[in-house]
Amino acid sequence: MQVVASVLAMLVVVLPLPQAHAQQAAQQPPADTEAALKARIDAAYKLMMEVGRFDDGDAQLRAALLDAARSDLYEFTVESYSNAGATFLNNQILDYAEEIFAEGLKTRAMQQDVAKRADFYLNYAMLKQAEKDNRGFLSMAATATNLYAHYHGTESQELMYATDVLATGVAAIGTIASAISLEQRNLEIAERVIGADDRFTWKLQNNLADMLRQMGAPTRALQYDLNVLEKRTGYYGANHFNVLVSANNTAQDYLDLGKYDEALRYFQQDRGIAVVLKQEGNLVEQADAWLLYTSALSGAQPLNEPTIARLLPLTTDQSYPDILAIKIANLLAAHFAAIGDTESSMSQLDQAYRIAGSKFNLSHPLTFAARQAMANLKTKTNPAAAAADFVALNNDMLQWNSSEVSSAGSRVVAEASRALADDMLYDYARLAQNNASAVPAFADAVRRWPTLENGKRDTLRKLLRMIDPNDAETRHLIQTAMRLSFAYQEVASSGDGSDDKGAVQMEQLQAMDDTLNAKLAARYGFDKIAMDKPLPSANTLLKPNEALIDYFITRKWRADRESAYPLEDERLYAIVTRKEQQPSLYDLGDPRRLIPAARETRMANLRSTRSAQERGAVTLVDLNATFTGLYAGLIAPLEPSLGGADTLFVVPDGKLFSVPFPLLQDSKGASLDDRFLVRMLTRPESLLNAGVDQSFPKTGKALLVGGLDYARGAEKGAEPLPGTRKEVDAIASILHGDHYSVEMLTGTAAGERALRKDMEQATVAHLATHGAYRDEKEGGVGAVNALWQSEVVLSQSGNRQSMKRDDGDGRLYGMELMMWDLSNLDLLVLSACETARGQETFVGGLRGLPTAINIAGAKRSLLALWPVDDAGTAAFMVSFYGHLAAGQTYPEALRQARRDARYGKISGAQDPRVWAAFVMFEN
């Protein structure tokens, strides 16, 4: 609720008192009985209510409570301390309340099996919240919920109430994603147990809407607020305080969505109810302030001197809602900045920041927004100070965002938190674009944001470089810790882990950390200086003949991210880094211009077929048309920074994962593959491994899969691919010559269990089969994560599409593959259609098989961007392995195979639809 009501004034709780002193004396119970102690406590409360006798009453109350604590009246003692602390809390006498609760916590009664302890801890949690003791609040509230669950049941109303207190408190701290997850589950239980028409259910919906609005998801909040408004109106009547609250909240949703007419309508309803209620306080004045602000924001009310004079006092008047004060301060700040009054603008932004930090938390969307606005204001007058502000803001938002995504349990919430960061990064990029000195820090931000690198995995990367190279056990522990961290983040950000028993849980992460820390402590003694040393930067890792191109998309979102046109603006940047040079930043414009909707449609057509007859049916003209002009948009602007380079490391982002960079041609018809050895990296940190030996191991274990039987009983399944058996047989001959032990899975042998066992032990794994990816726009299943729509088809798969963790369904989904341990794999080849595809996402840039393979730990993977011809693909793969066996490195062998295909040396592969389809990602 965002309305400040006069009814918030609390009265001292006065318990029933004896009717007559004479009667009391005549019936005085023994001193140690519950009745006697209750009478003394009642008398103490009465004494505190009398003018000038507060101290005497407090002393008597404390004495009575101490006597109760010495007794065996455990339930009475706990309840008495709980009520006393709550009474002081309700009257805002926080220090007295703290003394009461602290004393009560130490009593013998609190160590007993007493159900009232749940109430005690919940009241104590509310005090900690009032004291802004976040750690204390979380501890007490969590204990309370555990006790309510124990004594009253996991679906009891007592637990629902306590969970609501915990959730709203967690939201106020700034951990809104966790709060939303808690409240959503709480609401689901309430709707099931007490029903959708219960008033408490409406309260939960109201509070959940508040959280969603704070997170920056007003569209979702509006769905709840409209429902609560309707329910409350029907129950209470049109002119009730609770209806006023819901009308105000609904108006705020429309306000955040920029639908000012609707916002004004509901704020007017708010005002009409306030007039009818005639309550003490300023409810009418609050409604008038909201109406004035909305009119000024929309432009209906000129922001002239009289209007400013009316708005200014509202930013400091504590009888008005904090959120209104923040919004007014931001509006005035923007106005003052527009007329060149920087000092007044900064003053208003500082006011917004102080209110947000005091009311909510320093790690909260509202405080971040104020800091971002202040940094933007400084860009015009003090770019160096602005750059420093953005560095600090970026670090804090990254830490917050990483935590939010990891605890979201909801894709909507995870993407909402990332959208807030997108807004900051959009402004940060504009600063860096005009200030070269800010580019290195921005480049580091660009490195960390795609995977929400908050420092933990960087520490693991440092450890990998510091431990004994021969310490295989510790190395594997570190790699496992990194894999689990990535997998947990991926599942949390996608919201797909709640019902998936195979998904990584927080307990697994903690257990892995404990195991690794114990191992490191036993064998190594790394000091703080060594651990604080940063990872090598890109300009020190690169060779003089190498260049790193890190593409990064920044977005300016509209408030309604679920609308048909959610983006206000989108910018594609490229950061080019060379040896011992500061990175250079290039603004490449709107990526929607580089890859417009028509081109996306052609790309979809390239990858929408399935059968051998249809594969390759798209004409070469369409293929060329799809990628024509991309060299001019993606590479040509970077030429000033590419001189002297013959190797390009490319880190794509979003739609660029679907671009076959080697195929791109300059204005003279020369392909990028002609000019450079192109090496694709899944993320910037992959550069740390790019300098290690890229040679194909001469010995090892190879797993080859092809010639599969897809029939499952009467179900024929996918179309047979006879060329795949010839493909793996030819590769086996090459690898036998290199002293490899070769395991072949053909026919019905390539089930998921056998495949996992062999892949986790292999050096090289090559799967020649069907692959598929279809998002919702391309006929896939709606509201299903892309990692469940990215698949490799195995033996006896039939026509089944389970899209769940099932190792007997004959389909290997990205979400399943992600949990495998492929850290021993030097190379994974998925010689199958569409295995390089995925869904553009806020976290990680792409969600699909490349994501899954990266997380699973394979060092590199060779994947296909679109459906490919069966025979041509087999011939291309044999050529690739032949070059590897001849001693070429992985990137050299792939480049040479492409050249051989282009020059007609590989039968059936000379068509670019074959040789350009394959991309190798280094992890």
PDB file of all heavy atoms in Angstrom, residues 855-870:
ATOM      1  N   ILE A 855      28.086 -24.523 -20.162  1.00  0.00           N
ATOM      2  CA  ILE A 855      27.938 -24.780 -18.731  1.00  0.00           C
ATOM      3  C   ILE A 855      28.452 -26.164 -18.362  1.00  0.00           C
ATOM      4  O   ILE A 855      29.084 -26.346 -17.318  1.00  0.00           O
ATOM      5  CB  ILE A 855      26.465 -24.612 -18.328  1.00  0.00           C
ATOM      6  CG1 ILE A 855      26.058 -23.137 -18.462  1.00  0.00           C
ATOM      7  CG2 ILE A 855      26.216 -25.111 -16.912  1.00  0.00           C
ATOM      8  CD1 ILE A 855      24.579 -22.881 -18.243  1.00  0.00           C
ATOM      9  N   ALA A 856      28.195 -27.143 -19.212  1.00  0.00           N
ATOM     10  CA  ALA A 856      28.635 -28.518 -18.919  1.00  0.00           C
ATOM     11  C   ALA A 856      30.148 -28.648 -18.880  1.00  0.00           C
ATOM     12  O   ALA A 856      30.672 -29.611 -18.317  1.00  0.00           O
ATOM     13  CB  ALA A 856      28.052 -29.479 -19.952  1.00  0.00           C
ATOM     14  N   GLY A 857      30.867 -27.696 -19.491  1.00  0.00           N
ATOM     15  CA  GLY A 857      32.317 -27.664 -19.329  1.00  0.00           C
ATOM     16  C   GLY A 857      33.139 -28.147 -20.489  1.00  0.00           C
ATOM     17  O   GLY A 857      34.372 -28.217 -20.379  1.00  0.00           O
ATOM     18  N   ALA A 858      32.514 -28.492 -21.630  1.00  0.00           N
ATOM     19  CA  ALA A 858      33.319 -28.878 -22.798  1.00  0.00           C
ATOM     20  C   ALA A 858      34.177 -27.691 -23.241  1.00  0.00           C
ATOM     21  O   ALA A 858      33.724 -26.553 -23.223  1.00  0.00           O
ATOM     22  CB  ALA A 858      32.400 -29.321 -23.938  1.00  0.00           C
ATOM     23  N   LYS A 859      35.400 -27.967 -23.666  1.00  0.00           N
ATOM     24  CA  LYS A 859      36.318 -26.876 -24.010  1.00  0.00           C
ATOM     25  C   LYS A 859      35.893 -26.155 -25.288  1.00  0.00           C
ATOM     26  O   LYS A 859      36.092 -24.953 -25.432  1.00  0.00           O
ATOM     27  CB  LYS A 859      37.745 -27.417 -24.148  1.00  0.00           C
ATOM     28  CG  LYS A 859      38.314 -27.966 -22.845  1.00  0.00           C
ATOM     29  CD  LYS A 859      39.718 -28.503 -23.027  1.00  0.00           C
ATOM     30  CE  LYS A 859      40.282 -29.040 -21.712  1.00  0.00           C
ATOM     31  NZ  LYS A 859      39.492 -30.171 -21.185  1.00  0.00           N
ATOM     32  N   ARG A 860      35.321 -26.877 -26.227  1.00  0.00           N
ATOM     33  CA  ARG A 860      34.858 -26.254 -27.478  1.00  0.00           C
ATOM     34  C   ARG A 860      33.806 -27.160 -28.108  1.00  0.00           C
ATOM     35  O   ARG A 860      33.742 -28.357 -27.815  1.00  0.00           O
ATOM     36  CB  ARG A 860      36.019 -26.024 -28.449  1.00  0.00           C
ATOM     37  CG  ARG A 860      36.773 -27.283 -28.835  1.00  0.00           C
ATOM     38  CD  ARG A 860      38.014 -26.995 -29.647  1.00  0.00           C
ATOM     39  NE  ARG A 860      38.965 -26.142 -28.968  1.00  0.00           N
ATOM     40  CZ  ARG A 860      39.810 -26.550 -28.021  1.00  0.00           C
ATOM     41  NH1 ARG A 860      39.801 -27.823 -27.632  1.00  0.00           N
ATOM     42  NH2 ARG A 860      40.650 -25.723 -27.469  1.00  0.00           N
ATOM     43  N   SER A 861      32.989 -26.560 -28.963  1.00  0.00           N
ATOM     44  CA  SER A 861      31.949 -27.340 -29.635  1.00  0.00           C
ATOM     45  C   SER A 861      31.798 -26.849 -31.069  1.00  0.00           C
ATOM     46  O   SER A 861      31.949 -25.652 -31.354  1.00  0.00           O
ATOM     47  CB  SER A 861      30.613 -27.210 -28.894  1.00  0.00           C
ATOM     48  OG  SER A 861      30.204 -25.851 -28.823  1.00  0.00           O
ATOM     49  N   LEU A 862      31.520 -27.779 -31.961  1.00  0.00           N
ATOM     50  CA  LEU A 862      31.270 -27.473 -33.363  1.00  0.00           C
ATOM     51  C   LEU A 862      29.793 -27.753 -33.617  1.00  0.00           C
ATOM     52  O   LEU A 862      29.334 -28.887 -33.505  1.00  0.00           O
ATOM     53  CB  LEU A 862      32.139 -28.331 -34.273  1.00  0.00           C
ATOM     54  CG  LEU A 862      32.041 -28.045 -35.785  1.00  0.00           C
ATOM     55  CD1 LEU A 862      32.416 -26.596 -36.098  1.00  0.00           C
ATOM     56  CD2 LEU A 862      32.942 -28.998 -36.564  1.00  0.00           C
ATOM     57  N   LEU A 863      29.044 -26.681 -33.976  1.00  0.00           N
ATOM     58  CA  LEU A 863      27.603 -26.760 -34.070  1.00  0.00           C
ATOM     59  C   LEU A 863      27.119 -26.185 -35.390  1.00  0.00           C
ATOM     60  O   LEU A 863      27.871 -25.511 -36.098  1.00  0.00           O
ATOM     61  CB  LEU A 863      26.950 -25.991 -32.901  1.00  0.00           C
ATOM     62  CG  LEU A 863      27.500 -26.293 -31.502  1.00  0.00           C
ATOM     63  CD1 LEU A 863      26.895 -25.349 -30.473  1.00  0.00           C
ATOM     64  CD2 LEU A 863      27.244 -27.738 -31.119  1.00  0.00           C
ATOM     65  N   ALA A 864      25.842 -26.436 -35.686  1.00  0.00           N
ATOM     66  CA  ALA A 864      25.270 -25.982 -36.954  1.00  0.00           C
ATOM     67  C   ALA A 864      24.219 -24.902 -36.713  1.00  0.00           C
ATOM     68  O   ALA A 864      23.396 -25.014 -35.801  1.00  0.00           O
ATOM     69  CB  ALA A 864      24.636 -27.146 -37.709  1.00  0.00           C
ATOM     70  N   LEU A 865      24.249 -23.861 -37.586  1.00  0.00           N
ATOM     71  CA  LEU A 865      23.318 -22.756 -37.450  1.00  0.00           C
ATOM     72  C   LEU A 865      21.958 -23.042 -38.077  1.00  0.00           C
ATOM     73  O   LEU A 865      20.968 -22.429 -37.705  1.00  0.00           O
ATOM     74  CB  LEU A 865      23.902 -21.494 -38.103  1.00  0.00           C
ATOM     75  CG  LEU A 865      25.069 -20.829 -37.362  1.00  0.00           C
ATOM     76  CD1 LEU A 865      25.723 -19.806 -38.254  1.00  0.00           C
ATOM     77  CD2 LEU A 865      24.578 -20.202 -36.073  1.00  0.00           C
ATOM     78  N   TRP A 866      21.912 -23.914 -39.052  1.00  0.00           N
ATOM     79  CA  TRP A 866      20.655 -24.193 -39.745  1.00  0.00           C
ATOM     80  C   TRP A 866      20.663 -25.624 -40.259  1.00  0.00           C
ATOM     81  O   TRP A 866      21.693 -26.305 -40.194  1.00  0.00           O
ATOM     82  CB  TRP A 866      20.445 -23.193 -40.903  1.00  0.00           C
ATOM     83  CG  TRP A 866      21.591 -23.088 -41.873  1.00  0.00           C
ATOM     84  CD1 TRP A 866      21.972 -24.022 -42.785  1.00  0.00           C
ATOM     85  CD2 TRP A 866      22.491 -21.991 -42.009  1.00  0.00           C
ATOM     86  NE1 TRP A 866      23.059 -23.575 -43.497  1.00  0.00           N
ATOM     87  CE2 TRP A 866      23.394 -22.311 -43.050  1.00  0.00           C
ATOM     88  CE3 TRP A 866      22.623 -20.756 -41.392  1.00  0.00           C
ATOM     89  CZ2 TRP A 866      24.418 -21.463 -43.457  1.00  0.00           C
ATOM     90  CZ3 TRP A 866      23.639 -19.895 -41.805  1.00  0.00           C
ATOM     91  CH2 TRP A 866      24.518 -20.263 -42.822  1.00  0.00           C
ATOM     92  N   PRO A 867      19.538 -26.111 -40.800  1.00  0.00           N
ATOM     93  CA  PRO A 867      19.506 -27.470 -41.351  1.00  0.00           C
ATOM     94  C   PRO A 867      20.517 -27.644 -42.467  1.00  0.00           C
ATOM     95  O   PRO A 867      20.705 -26.751 -43.293  1.00  0.00           O
ATOM     96  CB  PRO A 867      18.072 -27.600 -41.875  1.00  0.00           C
ATOM     97  CG  PRO A 867      17.294 -26.667 -41.024  1.00  0.00           C
ATOM     98  CD  PRO A 867      18.201 -25.503 -40.779  1.00  0.00           C
ATOM     99  N   VAL A 868      21.178 -28.793 -42.501  1.00  0.00           N
ATOM    100  CA  VAL A 868      22.260 -29.025 -43.458  1.00  0.00           C
ATOM    101  C   VAL A 868      22.034 -30.344 -44.205  1.00  0.00           C
ATOM    102  O   VAL A 868      21.375 -31.258 -43.704  1.00  0.00           O
ATOM    103  CB  VAL A 868      23.625 -29.055 -42.743  1.00  0.00           C
ATOM    104  CG1 VAL A 868      24.050 -27.650 -42.350  1.00  0.00           C
ATOM    105  CG2 VAL A 868      23.569 -29.946 -41.508  1.00  0.00           C
ATOM    106  N   ASP A 869      22.608 -30.421 -45.384  1.00  0.00           N
ATOM    107  CA  ASP A 869      22.500 -31.618 -46.220  1.00  0.00           C
ATOM    108  C   ASP A 869      23.245 -32.788 -45.582  1.00  0.00           C
ATOM    109  O   ASP A 869      24.348 -32.632 -45.049  1.00  0.00           O
ATOM    110  CB  ASP A 869      23.072 -31.310 -47.604  1.00  0.00           C
ATOM    111  CG  ASP A 869      23.076 -32.528 -48.493  1.00  0.00           C
ATOM    112  OD1 ASP A 869      21.994 -32.922 -48.938  1.00  0.00           O
ATOM    113  OD2 ASP A 869      24.175 -33.080 -48.720  1.00  0.00           O
ATOM    114  N   ASP A 870      22.639 -33.943 -45.649  1.00  0.00           N
ATOM    115  CA  ASP A 870      23.193 -35.131 -44.988  1.00  0.00           C
ATOM    116  C   ASP A 870      24.545 -35.536 -45.563  1.00  0.00           C
ATOM    117  O   ASP A 870      25.560 -35.605 -44.848  1.00  0.00           O
ATOM    118  CB  ASP A 870      22.177 -36.267 -45.124  1.00  0.00           C
ATOM    119  CG  ASP A 870      22.549 -37.485 -44.290  1.00  0.00           C
ATOM    120  OD1 ASP A 870      23.417 -37.351 -43.410  1.00  0.00           O
ATOM    121  OD2 ASP A 870      21.970 -38.551 -44.516  1.00  0.00           O
TER     122      ASP A 870
END
